[in-house]
């Protein structure tokens, strides 16, 4: 059972380049999330998707776009990367139904460096 | 809005020492509370949770009790091991309407256990 899978795990970009981080989950979860983790800042929510076809902004959405391609996949796109977007990015999904207490399941992270 | 404040690190202990990491929260309603752990180079994993007042979550020798009167969810372990070295995140989850939940994280506490 793979859980939440992110690709790539590492990426180096130059300022102004674009790239897409991919995320897929095999747990049949409706909700998916993208967070960024920075030293001393904890985790901050970039975007989330409550269900296929819907997306909403989180705490720090500027400079990012997302696509909920289908129930399994939720991608994060940087159209014009900036050094301030150097971070570790985590995708997560949430359990549903009667077991729903709001907890998230995380991928292993994607470390992005923008030069 | 909701917030989580946890003890700032880093925390350095010797093996078999007693661990406490303090966590307090501010939330409307009755949130669920979580401790996540992040081992070096990995994503976040759920360590334990509590969904209502006076519940005690426990896992791998770690414990935390949901204290509504003091709005706290302190993490404890009686005897830490080198393998417990990681970053620990306190988090709360509150229903933001319908089946939507918002997860709010603390900034994380780095624990290093020396042999």
């Amino acid at each position: 059972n793979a859980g939440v899978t992110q690709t790539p795990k590492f990426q180096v970009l130059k300022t102004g380049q674009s790239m897409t981080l991919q995320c897929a989950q095999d747990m049949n979860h409706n909700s998916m999330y993208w967070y960024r983790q920075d030293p001393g800042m904890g985790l901050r929510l970039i975007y989330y998707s409550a269900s296929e076809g819907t997306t909403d902004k989180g705490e720090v959405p500027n400079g990012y776009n997302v696509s909920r391609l289908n129930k399994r996949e939720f991608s994060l796109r940087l159209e014009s990367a900036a050094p301030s977007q150097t971070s570790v990015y985590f995708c997560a999904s949430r359990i549903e139904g009667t077991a729903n207490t709001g907890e998230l399941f995380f991928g292993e992270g994607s470390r992005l460096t923008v030069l | 809005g909701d917030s989580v404040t946890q003890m700032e690190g880093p925390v350095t202990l010797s093996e078999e020492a007693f661990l406490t990491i303090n966590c307090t929260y501010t939330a409307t309603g009755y949130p669920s509370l979580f401790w996540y752990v992040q081992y070096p180079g990995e994503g976040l994993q759920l360590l334990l949770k509590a969904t209502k007042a006076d519940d005690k979550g426990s896992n791998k020798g770690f414990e935390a009790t949901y204290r509504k009167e003091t709005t706290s969810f302190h993490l404890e372990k009686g005897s830490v091991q080198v393998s417990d070295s990681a970053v620990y995140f306190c988090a709360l989850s509150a229903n933001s309407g319908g089946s939507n939940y918002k997860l709010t994280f603390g900034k994380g506490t780095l624990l290093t256990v020396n042999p």
Side-chain angles (χ1 to χ4, degrees):
Chain A
N1 188 352
V4 179
T5 303
Q6 295 180 229
T7 56
K9 288 188 168 38
F10 300 94
Q11 184 72 49
V12 178
L13 293 177
K14 295 181 180 177
T15 298
Q17 287 186 317
S18 62
M19 76 156 299
T20 299
L21 299 177
Q22 307 286 353
C23 175
Q25 52 92 10
D26 60 3
M27 297 175 283
N28 201 37
H29 291 168
N30 283 329
S31 299
M32 297 184 73
Y33 304 77
W34 276 105
Y35 286 87
R36 62 177 288 174
Q37 182 181 26
D38 302 291
M41 303 294 289
L43 273 78
R44 294 181 291 171
L45 181 64
I46 305 171
Y47 271 94
Y48 66 99
S49 170
S51 62
E52 185 179 351
T54 68
T55 61
D56 286 287
K57 296 178 180 179
E59 184 183 354
V60 288
N62 291 345
Y64 305 96
N65 286 300
V66 290
S67 296
R68 184 72 183 269
L69 304 171
N70 46 56
K71 191 171 185 178
R72 290 187 65 249
E73 298 173 291
F74 187 39
S75 62
L76 178 71
R77 182 161 179 83
L78 286 70
E79 291 290 352
S80 179
S84 61
Q85 294 178 304
T86 294
S87 187
V88 181
Y89 292 85
F90 288 98
C91 179
S93 65
R94 181 168 59 80
I95 198 168
E96 303 289 341
T98 57
N100 187 1
T101 55
E103 69 197 78
L104 298 180
F105 294 81
F106 285 85
E108 294 186 345
S110 298
R111 184 176 295 275
L112 175 66
T113 301
V114 183
L115 302 176
Chain B
D2 298 340
S3 66
V4 174
T5 302
Q6 65 180 99
M7 175 177 165
E8 293 206 12
V11 175
T12 303
L13 296 173
S14 297
E15 205 164 24
E16 299 184 3
F18 183 85
L19 169 70
T20 299
I21 301 178
N22 290 337
C23 172
T24 57
Y25 67 90
T26 302
T28 55
Y30 303 96
S32 295
L33 300 175
F34 308 93
W35 277 101
Y36 281 85
V37 59
Q38 183 181 29
Y39 298 105
E42 298 184 10
L44 279 73
Q45 306 173 26
L46 181 67
L47 179 60
L48 53 84
K49 68 179 181 182
T51 59
K52 60 182 187 296
D54 299 325
D55 268 2
K56 177 185 284 188
S58 61
N59 187 25
K60 299 181 181 180
F62 291 88
E63 294 183 339
T65 301
Y66 189 163
R67 301 287 188 197
K68 187 171 183 292
E69 63 276 12
T70 55
T71 62
S72 65
F73 192 55
H74 304 321
L75 183 68
E76 297 182 336
K77 186 175 186 182
S79 176
V80 294
Q81 306 299 312
V82 172
S83 58
D84 294 327
S85 298
V87 180
Y88 293 82
F89 292 91
C90 185
L92 70 83
S93 175
N95 192 308
S96 59
S99 62
N100 293 322
Y101 283 79
K102 179 184 174 184
L103 200 69
T104 302
F105 287 89
K107 293 185 177 182
T109 302
L110 173 63
L111 170 66
T112 301
V113 181
N114 294 319

